[in-house]
Amino acid sequence: MNLILLSAIWGIVMMFSGLFLNSKSAAKTVALVGAVALLIGNIFDLSGKMIINSDFKGMLQYERFGLLFLTVLILALIIYILLSGKDVEAVGKHPFEYFALIFFVMSGAGLVALFNNLLILFIGIEIVSIPLYILTGADKRNLKGNEAALKYFLMGSFSTGILLMGIAFLYGAAGSFQVERLAMITSEDFTAFTTIGIVMVMVALAFKVSAAPFHFWTPDVYDGAPTVFTSFMATIVKAAIFIGFLNLFINAFAGKSDSWKLTVAIITALTLFIGNITAVYQQSVKRMLAYSSIAQAGFMLFAVFAVNDLSKQGLLLYAAAYCFATIGIFAVLVKMKDYTFEGFNGLAKKQPLVAFVLTVCFLSLAGIPLTAGFFAKYFVLAAAVKTGTYLWLVIFAVVMAAVSVYYYFRVIQAMYFKEGETQELELATPFKALLVLVAAVIIVLGVYPSLLLDMLIFF
Amino acid sequence: MIALLMILVPLIGGLVAFFLKEEKQAKTWSLLVSLISLAAITYSLVSNNEEGRTFTAEWLPQLGASFALKMDGASTLLCLLGALSYPVIFASTWKSTYSSPNIFYGLMLLAQAGILGVFLAADGLLFYFFWELALIPVYFLCSKWGGEKRIAVTFKFFIYTFIGSLLMLVGLLYMYFQTADASFAMESLYAVKLSGDQQTWLFWLFFIAFAIKMPVFPFHTWQPDAYEQSPTAVTMVLSALMVKMGLFAVVRWLLPLFPDAAVEFDNVVIGLSVIGMVYASIIAMQQDDLKRLIAYSSIAHIGLMSAALFVNNESGLQGAIIQFFSHGVNVLGMWIVVELIERKFGTRKMSELGGLAQKAPALTILLVIVALANVALPLTNAFIGEFLMFNGLFKFNAWYAAVGGLSIILSAIYTLRMIQKVFYGNENALTANNTDISFIEKAALAVIVVAIFVMGVYPSPVFNLTKDTASFILGIFK
């Protein structure tokens, strides 16, 4: 509860401090203070000390998994602000508002992670989405950004409608919005209503996490939005929706997996296929990352597909590995002028340290051992193997993982093995130090994933 | 302790090497580190100390994975090969210069750590870890310091092996969920009882991964290009050590895990291997480039080993395991000669060389010995292995032995033709001002030649060493 409250309040604080603080560069500092406050609040959440200690008649539930997941997201947010805060300020005239919107998103993420009632899920997802429409169009003079924002808004509203419709069907079937009531629907009362409801909710959530075939907005929006916000949307936001997705399916629909398993399997396969294959053909690293984020969503869908104890561990680790690596890559990408693969040519000579960190990040995204990405993939795939069915899907996924090596390694090849005039990069020492820290975290989690996973059980 | 040292020494040595900016320093350090490894394993073999051959430490208890290492006969032999080949590689390429030498030598040592880890791992997940980790340094080595087409070629190699290893990972995960105690430990995985169907598809998931690495026909297409384009020091690592990963994995994992499927599909595997032997030998005869010639000849030799592993009799199995070592030594000798020739004359084309024997007698004598060992002449190390393998193949099915036997004749043809073209005949403008090789290069080749003869004349220590592995595998099939 602390997190939800604090981030909402801090969002308002950010907006007002924009009025009173004249210096633009103060925005980052205020935001950083807020993010650290969120972290502290969240740690109190984890130990059960809350400002308002109520579950609002069972509409929220403070599950360890959800809270820990939020910790990971807040850590990612802190890294994001530290690495890219300056670039957020550079987007336009209203840096305080941008940060305020980011904090509102975090508030929504809190609701999505802790919901125990479909209405809370719906409100959470809306609170996450609406600030994103604005952030996408934050660079007002950029036509592409405007187009992306409009597209995102139209498509997003449409999917929201479907979500609401699905919730209505489920309400009809269960007579309640409460998750535990949904879980109680027995096979006898299982009607077409329930199936339609489940499928509609699934479609809407698939849209939000950019799973195929509902992914068409993703490349345009990620490409059109200011790059700093793409980084935010592709990582923290995506992970936040995923936890809602997983929690809903584990807590409400796990007992009825026959009715939706095949559909999720098909969505997963399509997402992996389209994301990976299309990413291969991209010329711009930014667009490649957009498609790669679709592909990575495909792997995260395995957690939803499997709905067992390994899913939770898998998604937690996946979110950490994916967010840290992607934020690191985007932080460097924002500083570059040339977003094509050629833009990275010879980077290793000029910036050996940065090139090394990027390599670690890309290796992690590709799922090479000794990086967090390996264990992330390991857990989600293990979760699926554990169900003992649909092994073809797992085999298909690993083949697609091999395809992903192709486009991730193109960047590594450009940096290390190709000669070229790299653009001059002005990188401050603290920035580099932080990047090294990100790489270190990725490697440490790649050797001892238990450091994070143990927290699911102990604290 | 020795098991742990075999990984730790090159790992730490490699990390330190990254910080030695001076070329001379990096070189000397790497040679020193590789000699320490060699000394360690020699000491352990001589003192016959069984204690340190296994090592277990806690790693990921929740997953049932531990840092478990085990040296049985075959893996000791391969560790010895790994420890022996590195000083030889460093000595024979002593005069080659590389840009950013610290990184080159650091990655070389890291690759050694990864490869030896594969030979030692006694835990499924750890094995997978090392299997992938061995690949990463080699990927960077080939892509950075290789020939003209290095990037595309190495990439093909990387993706090929990566697909294979991911398929293996799926199989490994499936096995893991079948174990009684949810563990990746080798013993638990061995104990899993699988139905026929399960064995079939798990066998293929694992086999494809190993077959790509060996490589067995038709998964071999990455290999000649990769060998050709890599810097020769890396090619030596690839062909002397890395291909053994696939063969060794068959012995340690594939056969004990899926014995029924191995018997069921023995004809398929042996058939593919024999086709590969003859096919690669024929192609080797057409090559003008020395590196490609040796690459194809290596495919032929590997084919024989992979066939012999599946014949399910003692002779074949024992021969194959011994041949792991012999092939490593011999192919290393071949690459050293190629390296010396290329460094001196700037070409590897046989058509541009000739008449080296008059000016470089030492090189010629050493090469002829290595080449004859490559053809498996009696008194050389390869003879024993090949004889046993053909014997085993013959017991399995005489036809395979007959067809595979063709590759012996073919190998004599292309090897002798190579000697003739490169060393005899008339000198030309390129080779006229030739001098003989230097001391350190002679020393490196001499080590190889000594190994060839010692093992050729007195092979019984190697037999004794690897007996336990062979009898263990045969025990499973009984």
PDB file of all heavy atoms in Angstrom, chain B residues 1-8 50-59 66-71 120-123 126:
ATOM      1  N   MET B   1      41.184 -32.239  -5.510  1.00  0.00           N
ATOM      2  CA  MET B   1      41.763 -30.906  -5.692  1.00  0.00           C
ATOM      3  C   MET B   1      42.252 -30.712  -7.117  1.00  0.00           C
ATOM      4  O   MET B   1      42.047 -29.654  -7.718  1.00  0.00           O
ATOM      5  CB  MET B   1      42.936 -30.744  -4.713  1.00  0.00           C
ATOM      6  CG  MET B   1      43.307 -29.296  -4.494  1.00  0.00           C
ATOM      7  SD  MET B   1      41.896 -28.395  -3.859  1.00  0.00           S
ATOM      8  CE  MET B   1      42.365 -26.741  -4.259  1.00  0.00           C
ATOM      9  N   ILE B   2      42.845 -31.767  -7.673  1.00  0.00           N
ATOM     10  CA  ILE B   2      43.394 -31.627  -9.022  1.00  0.00           C
ATOM     11  C   ILE B   2      42.289 -31.270 -10.014  1.00  0.00           C
ATOM     12  O   ILE B   2      42.473 -30.465 -10.914  1.00  0.00           O
ATOM     13  CB  ILE B   2      44.142 -32.919  -9.444  1.00  0.00           C
ATOM     14  CG1 ILE B   2      44.679 -32.825 -10.866  1.00  0.00           C
ATOM     15  CG2 ILE B   2      43.272 -34.145  -9.344  1.00  0.00           C
ATOM     16  CD1 ILE B   2      45.758 -31.827 -11.035  1.00  0.00           C
ATOM     17  N   ALA B   3      41.096 -31.862  -9.783  1.00  0.00           N
ATOM     18  CA  ALA B   3      39.980 -31.583 -10.695  1.00  0.00           C
ATOM     19  C   ALA B   3      39.653 -30.102 -10.682  1.00  0.00           C
ATOM     20  O   ALA B   3      39.467 -29.475 -11.730  1.00  0.00           O
ATOM     21  CB  ALA B   3      38.765 -32.414 -10.280  1.00  0.00           C
ATOM     22  N   LEU B   4      39.608 -29.525  -9.501  1.00  0.00           N
ATOM     23  CA  LEU B   4      39.286 -28.108  -9.395  1.00  0.00           C
ATOM     24  C   LEU B   4      40.403 -27.262  -9.994  1.00  0.00           C
ATOM     25  O   LEU B   4      40.151 -26.274 -10.702  1.00  0.00           O
ATOM     26  CB  LEU B   4      39.061 -27.748  -7.931  1.00  0.00           C
ATOM     27  CG  LEU B   4      38.604 -26.315  -7.664  1.00  0.00           C
ATOM     28  CD1 LEU B   4      37.256 -26.076  -8.307  1.00  0.00           C
ATOM     29  CD2 LEU B   4      38.514 -26.052  -6.183  1.00  0.00           C
ATOM     30  N   LEU B   5      41.645 -27.678  -9.727  1.00  0.00           N
ATOM     31  CA  LEU B   5      42.784 -26.899 -10.235  1.00  0.00           C
ATOM     32  C   LEU B   5      42.766 -26.801 -11.752  1.00  0.00           C
ATOM     33  O   LEU B   5      43.119 -25.772 -12.316  1.00  0.00           O
ATOM     34  CB  LEU B   5      44.095 -27.564  -9.794  1.00  0.00           C
ATOM     35  CG  LEU B   5      44.628 -27.215  -8.415  1.00  0.00           C
ATOM     36  CD1 LEU B   5      45.955 -27.908  -8.195  1.00  0.00           C
ATOM     37  CD2 LEU B   5      44.801 -25.711  -8.287  1.00  0.00           C
ATOM     38  N   MET B   6      42.363 -27.880 -12.407  1.00  0.00           N
ATOM     39  CA  MET B   6      42.386 -27.886 -13.868  1.00  0.00           C
ATOM     40  C   MET B   6      41.519 -26.774 -14.443  1.00  0.00           C
ATOM     41  O   MET B   6      41.743 -26.299 -15.545  1.00  0.00           O
ATOM     42  CB  MET B   6      41.904 -29.239 -14.408  1.00  0.00           C
ATOM     43  CG  MET B   6      42.796 -30.418 -14.115  1.00  0.00           C
ATOM     44  SD  MET B   6      44.512 -30.122 -14.506  1.00  0.00           S
ATOM     45  CE  MET B   6      44.456 -30.017 -16.265  1.00  0.00           C
ATOM     46  N   ILE B   7      40.483 -26.382 -13.714  1.00  0.00           N
ATOM     47  CA  ILE B   7      39.632 -25.289 -14.186  1.00  0.00           C
ATOM     48  C   ILE B   7      40.130 -23.956 -13.646  1.00  0.00           C
ATOM     49  O   ILE B   7      40.189 -22.953 -14.359  1.00  0.00           O
ATOM     50  CB  ILE B   7      38.174 -25.517 -13.747  1.00  0.00           C
ATOM     51  CG1 ILE B   7      37.638 -26.790 -14.392  1.00  0.00           C
ATOM     52  CG2 ILE B   7      37.306 -24.353 -14.135  1.00  0.00           C
ATOM     53  CD1 ILE B   7      36.298 -27.205 -13.872  1.00  0.00           C
ATOM     54  N   LEU B   8      40.505 -23.980 -12.375  1.00  0.00           N
ATOM     55  CA  LEU B   8      40.831 -22.734 -11.686  1.00  0.00           C
ATOM     56  C   LEU B   8      42.092 -22.073 -12.245  1.00  0.00           C
ATOM     57  O   LEU B   8      42.135 -20.861 -12.428  1.00  0.00           O
ATOM     58  CB  LEU B   8      41.007 -23.032 -10.196  1.00  0.00           C
ATOM     59  CG  LEU B   8      40.321 -22.075  -9.243  1.00  0.00           C
ATOM     60  CD1 LEU B   8      38.882 -21.846  -9.657  1.00  0.00           C
ATOM     61  CD2 LEU B   8      40.369 -22.620  -7.822  1.00  0.00           C
ATOM     62  N   GLU B  50      44.347 -40.785  -5.947  1.00  0.00           N
ATOM     63  CA  GLU B  50      42.951 -40.886  -6.375  1.00  0.00           C
ATOM     64  C   GLU B  50      42.067 -39.855  -5.681  1.00  0.00           C
ATOM     65  O   GLU B  50      40.949 -39.600  -6.099  1.00  0.00           O
ATOM     66  CB  GLU B  50      42.406 -42.288  -6.069  1.00  0.00           C
ATOM     67  CG  GLU B  50      43.017 -43.388  -6.913  1.00  0.00           C
ATOM     68  CD  GLU B  50      42.544 -43.335  -8.356  1.00  0.00           C
ATOM     69  OE1 GLU B  50      41.405 -42.891  -8.584  1.00  0.00           O
ATOM     70  OE2 GLU B  50      43.322 -43.707  -9.249  1.00  0.00           O
ATOM     71  N   GLU B  51      42.583 -39.285  -4.604  1.00  0.00           N
ATOM     72  CA  GLU B  51      41.727 -38.489  -3.741  1.00  0.00           C
ATOM     73  C   GLU B  51      41.096 -37.289  -4.438  1.00  0.00           C
ATOM     74  O   GLU B  51      39.910 -37.072  -4.360  1.00  0.00           O
ATOM     75  CB  GLU B  51      42.544 -37.984  -2.547  1.00  0.00           C
ATOM     76  CG  GLU B  51      42.035 -38.492  -1.220  1.00  0.00           C
ATOM     77  CD  GLU B  51      43.034 -38.186  -0.139  1.00  0.00           C
ATOM     78  OE1 GLU B  51      43.237 -36.989   0.112  1.00  0.00           O
ATOM     79  OE2 GLU B  51      43.616 -39.132   0.419  1.00  0.00           O
ATOM     80  N   GLY B  52      41.943 -36.511  -5.099  1.00  0.00           N
ATOM     81  CA  GLY B  52      41.452 -35.241  -5.646  1.00  0.00           C
ATOM     82  C   GLY B  52      40.678 -35.382  -6.930  1.00  0.00           C
ATOM     83  O   GLY B  52      40.349 -34.392  -7.563  1.00  0.00           O
ATOM     84  N   ARG B  53      40.356 -36.607  -7.322  1.00  0.00           N
ATOM     85  CA  ARG B  53      39.729 -36.778  -8.641  1.00  0.00           C
ATOM     86  C   ARG B  53      38.266 -36.369  -8.663  1.00  0.00           C
ATOM     87  O   ARG B  53      37.669 -36.250  -9.711  1.00  0.00           O
ATOM     88  CB  ARG B  53      39.860 -38.235  -9.096  1.00  0.00           C
ATOM     89  CG  ARG B  53      41.285 -38.722  -9.212  1.00  0.00           C
ATOM     90  CD  ARG B  53      41.888 -38.273 -10.531  1.00  0.00           C
ATOM     91  NE  ARG B  53      43.330 -38.468 -10.556  1.00  0.00           N
ATOM     92  CZ  ARG B  53      43.923 -39.605 -10.888  1.00  0.00           C
ATOM     93  NH1 ARG B  53      43.202 -40.626 -11.251  1.00  0.00           N
ATOM     94  NH2 ARG B  53      45.219 -39.700 -10.892  1.00  0.00           N
ATOM     95  N   THR B  54      37.664 -36.227  -7.505  1.00  0.00           N
ATOM     96  CA  THR B  54      36.293 -35.700  -7.490  1.00  0.00           C
ATOM     97  C   THR B  54      36.262 -34.471  -6.603  1.00  0.00           C
ATOM     98  O   THR B  54      37.063 -34.317  -5.687  1.00  0.00           O
ATOM     99  CB  THR B  54      35.290 -36.722  -6.941  1.00  0.00           C
ATOM    100  OG1 THR B  54      35.775 -37.165  -5.693  1.00  0.00           O
ATOM    101  CG2 THR B  54      35.108 -37.884  -7.866  1.00  0.00           C
ATOM    102  N   PHE B  55      35.337 -33.598  -6.912  1.00  0.00           N
ATOM    103  CA  PHE B  55      35.216 -32.377  -6.124  1.00  0.00           C
ATOM    104  C   PHE B  55      33.749 -31.976  -6.156  1.00  0.00           C
ATOM    105  O   PHE B  55      33.113 -31.995  -7.208  1.00  0.00           O
ATOM    106  CB  PHE B  55      36.078 -31.275  -6.728  1.00  0.00           C
ATOM    107  CG  PHE B  55      35.934 -29.967  -6.015  1.00  0.00           C
ATOM    108  CD1 PHE B  55      36.697 -29.690  -4.890  1.00  0.00           C
ATOM    109  CD2 PHE B  55      35.027 -29.013  -6.455  1.00  0.00           C
ATOM    110  CE1 PHE B  55      36.559 -28.496  -4.226  1.00  0.00           C
ATOM    111  CE2 PHE B  55      34.881 -27.814  -5.789  1.00  0.00           C
ATOM    112  CZ  PHE B  55      35.659 -27.551  -4.666  1.00  0.00           C
ATOM    113  N   THR B  56      33.206 -31.639  -4.995  1.00  0.00           N
ATOM    114  CA  THR B  56      31.818 -31.196  -4.957  1.00  0.00           C
ATOM    115  C   THR B  56      31.701 -29.982  -4.035  1.00  0.00           C
ATOM    116  O   THR B  56      32.238 -29.985  -2.938  1.00  0.00           O
ATOM    117  CB  THR B  56      30.886 -32.298  -4.429  1.00  0.00           C
ATOM    118  OG1 THR B  56      31.189 -33.502  -5.125  1.00  0.00           O
ATOM    119  CG2 THR B  56      29.439 -31.937  -4.677  1.00  0.00           C
ATOM    120  N   ALA B  57      31.025 -28.976  -4.535  1.00  0.00           N
ATOM    121  CA  ALA B  57      30.737 -27.814  -3.699  1.00  0.00           C
ATOM    122  C   ALA B  57      29.296 -27.412  -3.951  1.00  0.00           C
ATOM    123  O   ALA B  57      28.724 -27.716  -4.997  1.00  0.00           O
ATOM    124  CB  ALA B  57      31.671 -26.664  -4.036  1.00  0.00           C
ATOM    125  N   GLU B  58      28.716 -26.758  -2.978  1.00  0.00           N
ATOM    126  CA  GLU B  58      27.333 -26.341  -3.130  1.00  0.00           C
ATOM    127  C   GLU B  58      27.251 -25.213  -4.157  1.00  0.00           C
ATOM    128  O   GLU B  58      28.091 -24.328  -4.199  1.00  0.00           O
ATOM    129  CB  GLU B  58      26.807 -25.850  -1.785  1.00  0.00           C
ATOM    130  CG  GLU B  58      25.301 -25.795  -1.747  1.00  0.00           C
ATOM    131  CD  GLU B  58      24.811 -25.550  -0.332  1.00  0.00           C
ATOM    132  OE1 GLU B  58      24.923 -24.404   0.099  1.00  0.00           O
ATOM    133  OE2 GLU B  58      24.346 -26.503   0.313  1.00  0.00           O
ATOM    134  N   TRP B  59      26.241 -25.257  -4.992  1.00  0.00           N
ATOM    135  CA  TRP B  59      26.112 -24.170  -5.960  1.00  0.00           C
ATOM    136  C   TRP B  59      24.693 -23.612  -5.920  1.00  0.00           C
ATOM    137  O   TRP B  59      24.465 -22.505  -5.449  1.00  0.00           O
ATOM    138  CB  TRP B  59      26.496 -24.661  -7.353  1.00  0.00           C
ATOM    139  CG  TRP B  59      26.380 -23.652  -8.433  1.00  0.00           C
ATOM    140  CD1 TRP B  59      26.609 -22.307  -8.325  1.00  0.00           C
ATOM    141  CD2 TRP B  59      26.021 -23.879  -9.780  1.00  0.00           C
ATOM    142  NE1 TRP B  59      26.430 -21.700  -9.528  1.00  0.00           N
ATOM    143  CE2 TRP B  59      26.062 -22.636 -10.440  1.00  0.00           C
ATOM    144  CE3 TRP B  59      25.667 -25.027 -10.517  1.00  0.00           C
ATOM    145  CZ2 TRP B  59      25.761 -22.505 -11.791  1.00  0.00           C
ATOM    146  CZ3 TRP B  59      25.380 -24.881 -11.847  1.00  0.00           C
ATOM    147  CH2 TRP B  59      25.428 -23.627 -12.480  1.00  0.00           C
ATOM    148  N   SER B  66      24.800 -28.819  -8.292  1.00  0.00           N
ATOM    149  CA  SER B  66      25.970 -28.567  -7.459  1.00  0.00           C
ATOM    150  C   SER B  66      27.186 -28.443  -8.361  1.00  0.00           C
ATOM    151  O   SER B  66      27.165 -28.833  -9.519  1.00  0.00           O
ATOM    152  CB  SER B  66      26.173 -29.687  -6.457  1.00  0.00           C
ATOM    153  OG  SER B  66      26.331 -30.896  -7.153  1.00  0.00           O
ATOM    154  N   PHE B  67      28.237 -27.870  -7.807  1.00  0.00           N
ATOM    155  CA  PHE B  67      29.474 -27.723  -8.564  1.00  0.00           C
ATOM    156  C   PHE B  67      30.263 -29.020  -8.390  1.00  0.00           C
ATOM    157  O   PHE B  67      31.165 -29.111  -7.580  1.00  0.00           O
ATOM    158  CB  PHE B  67      30.248 -26.515  -8.043  1.00  0.00           C
ATOM    159  CG  PHE B  67      31.370 -26.098  -8.929  1.00  0.00           C
ATOM    160  CD1 PHE B  67      31.159 -25.196  -9.949  1.00  0.00           C
ATOM    161  CD2 PHE B  67      32.639 -26.610  -8.757  1.00  0.00           C
ATOM    162  CE1 PHE B  67      32.192 -24.810 -10.774  1.00  0.00           C
ATOM    163  CE2 PHE B  67      33.681 -26.236  -9.584  1.00  0.00           C
ATOM    164  CZ  PHE B  67      33.460 -25.328 -10.590  1.00  0.00           C
ATOM    165  N   ALA B  68      29.866 -30.037  -9.144  1.00  0.00           N
ATOM    166  CA  ALA B  68      30.464 -31.353  -8.958  1.00  0.00           C
ATOM    167  C   ALA B  68      31.366 -31.690 -10.132  1.00  0.00           C
ATOM    168  O   ALA B  68      30.970 -31.562 -11.291  1.00  0.00           O
ATOM    169  CB  ALA B  68      29.364 -32.403  -8.838  1.00  0.00           C
ATOM    170  N   LEU B  69      32.587 -32.087  -9.820  1.00  0.00           N
ATOM    171  CA  LEU B  69      33.542 -32.481 -10.851  1.00  0.00           C
ATOM    172  C   LEU B  69      33.959 -33.915 -10.606  1.00  0.00           C
ATOM    173  O   LEU B  69      34.036 -34.357  -9.462  1.00  0.00           O
ATOM    174  CB  LEU B  69      34.788 -31.590 -10.806  1.00  0.00           C
ATOM    175  CG  LEU B  69      34.555 -30.086 -10.852  1.00  0.00           C
ATOM    176  CD1 LEU B  69      35.865 -29.359 -10.661  1.00  0.00           C
ATOM    177  CD2 LEU B  69      33.919 -29.676 -12.160  1.00  0.00           C
ATOM    178  N   LYS B  70      34.221 -34.626 -11.696  1.00  0.00           N
ATOM    179  CA  LYS B  70      34.640 -36.015 -11.531  1.00  0.00           C
ATOM    180  C   LYS B  70      35.601 -36.368 -12.651  1.00  0.00           C
ATOM    181  O   LYS B  70      35.340 -36.104 -13.817  1.00  0.00           O
ATOM    182  CB  LYS B  70      33.422 -36.931 -11.587  1.00  0.00           C
ATOM    183  CG  LYS B  70      33.753 -38.386 -11.397  1.00  0.00           C
ATOM    184  CD  LYS B  70      32.477 -39.170 -11.094  1.00  0.00           C
ATOM    185  CE  LYS B  70      32.786 -40.633 -10.871  1.00  0.00           C
ATOM    186  NZ  LYS B  70      32.690 -41.430 -12.083  1.00  0.00           N
ATOM    187  N   MET B  71      36.738 -36.930 -12.269  1.00  0.00           N
ATOM    188  CA  MET B  71      37.713 -37.370 -13.266  1.00  0.00           C
ATOM    189  C   MET B  71      37.680 -38.878 -13.340  1.00  0.00           C
ATOM    190  O   MET B  71      38.182 -39.554 -12.454  1.00  0.00           O
ATOM    191  CB  MET B  71      39.119 -36.947 -12.838  1.00  0.00           C
ATOM    192  CG  MET B  71      39.461 -35.513 -13.111  1.00  0.00           C
ATOM    193  SD  MET B  71      41.056 -35.116 -12.379  1.00  0.00           S
ATOM    194  CE  MET B  71      42.049 -34.885 -13.839  1.00  0.00           C
ATOM    195  N   LEU B 120      35.131 -32.293 -17.107  1.00  0.00           N
ATOM    196  CA  LEU B 120      35.115 -32.663 -15.698  1.00  0.00           C
ATOM    197  C   LEU B 120      33.723 -32.700 -15.086  1.00  0.00           C
ATOM    198  O   LEU B 120      33.484 -33.422 -14.120  1.00  0.00           O
ATOM    199  CB  LEU B 120      35.983 -31.679 -14.907  1.00  0.00           C
ATOM    200  CG  LEU B 120      37.482 -31.797 -15.168  1.00  0.00           C
ATOM    201  CD1 LEU B 120      38.217 -30.587 -14.644  1.00  0.00           C
ATOM    202  CD2 LEU B 120      38.013 -33.056 -14.517  1.00  0.00           C
ATOM    203  N   ALA B 121      32.799 -31.887 -15.618  1.00  0.00           N
ATOM    204  CA  ALA B 121      31.526 -31.670 -14.934  1.00  0.00           C
ATOM    205  C   ALA B 121      30.791 -32.983 -14.697  1.00  0.00           C
ATOM    206  O   ALA B 121      30.651 -33.806 -15.600  1.00  0.00           O
ATOM    207  CB  ALA B 121      30.658 -30.727 -15.742  1.00  0.00           C
ATOM    208  N   ALA B 122      30.328 -33.169 -13.481  1.00  0.00           N
ATOM    209  CA  ALA B 122      29.544 -34.359 -13.140  1.00  0.00           C
ATOM    210  C   ALA B 122      28.163 -33.938 -12.680  1.00  0.00           C
ATOM    211  O   ALA B 122      27.547 -34.580 -11.840  1.00  0.00           O
ATOM    212  CB  ALA B 122      30.251 -35.159 -12.059  1.00  0.00           C
ATOM    213  N   ASP B 123      27.691 -32.827 -13.210  1.00  0.00           N
ATOM    214  CA  ASP B 123      26.380 -32.312 -12.863  1.00  0.00           C
ATOM    215  C   ASP B 123      25.781 -31.762 -14.146  1.00  0.00           C
ATOM    216  O   ASP B 123      26.467 -31.035 -14.883  1.00  0.00           O
ATOM    217  CB  ASP B 123      26.545 -31.209 -11.807  1.00  0.00           C
ATOM    218  CG  ASP B 123      25.230 -30.592 -11.433  1.00  0.00           C
ATOM    219  OD1 ASP B 123      24.719 -29.774 -12.213  1.00  0.00           O
ATOM    220  OD2 ASP B 123      24.707 -30.940 -10.371  1.00  0.00           O
ATOM    221  N   LEU B 126      25.799 -27.929 -14.631  1.00  0.00           N
ATOM    222  CA  LEU B 126      27.172 -27.432 -14.689  1.00  0.00           C
ATOM    223  C   LEU B 126      27.790 -27.777 -16.036  1.00  0.00           C
ATOM    224  O   LEU B 126      28.481 -26.964 -16.653  1.00  0.00           O
ATOM    225  CB  LEU B 126      27.990 -28.048 -13.558  1.00  0.00           C
ATOM    226  CG  LEU B 126      29.388 -27.471 -13.377  1.00  0.00           C
ATOM    227  CD1 LEU B 126      29.304 -26.060 -12.861  1.00  0.00           C
ATOM    228  CD2 LEU B 126      30.201 -28.323 -12.434  1.00  0.00           C
TER     229      LEU B 126
END
